Amino acid sequence: IAGTVSVIFMYKDRKKQIRLCYSLYLLQFLIVLLSVVWITTTLHVSLSELTTRAHPLSLIFPVVSMWWIFMAQWATKKDEELVRSVERIR
């Protein structure tokens, strides 16, 4: 959460903001991957059984989080392109 909040307030340095979005996206992906691996190996649960026994929100929240990080990165990148195009016109 702290990383996401810090990205919001870094609007003056868009390049750093984009890099942080990439790293947050990668971190979120690794957390999801490691949690699935840990649950399947520690609890000896198959992947199909995990999807039926787990609460639906616990499977949806990480995907939604990665989607929002991706959208924030995309919007920041578009903003950076807009600023560069305006600077070229001047």
Side-chain angles (χ1 to χ4, degrees):
I1 294 175
T4 309
V5 172
S6 66
V7 168
I8 292 171
F9 292 108
M10 295 174 63
Y11 56 89
K12 290 187 179 184
D13 191 2
R14 286 178 295 278
K15 290 179 184 180
K16 189 184 285 187
Q17 194 176 20
I18 291 170
R19 279 186 271 131
L20 190 58
C21 281
Y22 280 131
S23 62
L24 283 173
Y25 190 71
L26 180 65
L27 181 68
Q28 183 69 27
F29 180 75
L30 288 174
I31 288 172
V32 169
L33 183 69
L34 289 175
S35 63
V36 167
V37 168
W38 180 77
I39 288 171
T40 56
T41 58
T42 306
L43 301 177
H44 305 291
V45 175
S46 68
L47 198 55
S48 62
E49 189 179 2
L50 174 66
T51 57
T52 58
R53 289 177 53 184
H55 195 277
L57 290 179
S58 67
L59 300 174
I60 292 173
F61 279 148
V63 174
V64 170
S65 174
M66 288 191 320
W67 173 254
W68 282 108
I69 293 169
F70 172 75
M71 292 302 292
Q73 178 265 330
W74 179 75
T76 306
K77 198 173 192 181
K78 294 293 267 185
D79 189 38
E80 179 67 21
E81 291 171 2
L82 179 64
V83 169
R84 284 187 183 177
S85 71
V86 169
E87 286 178 357
R88 265 187 262 138
I89 293 173
R90 283 196 265 171

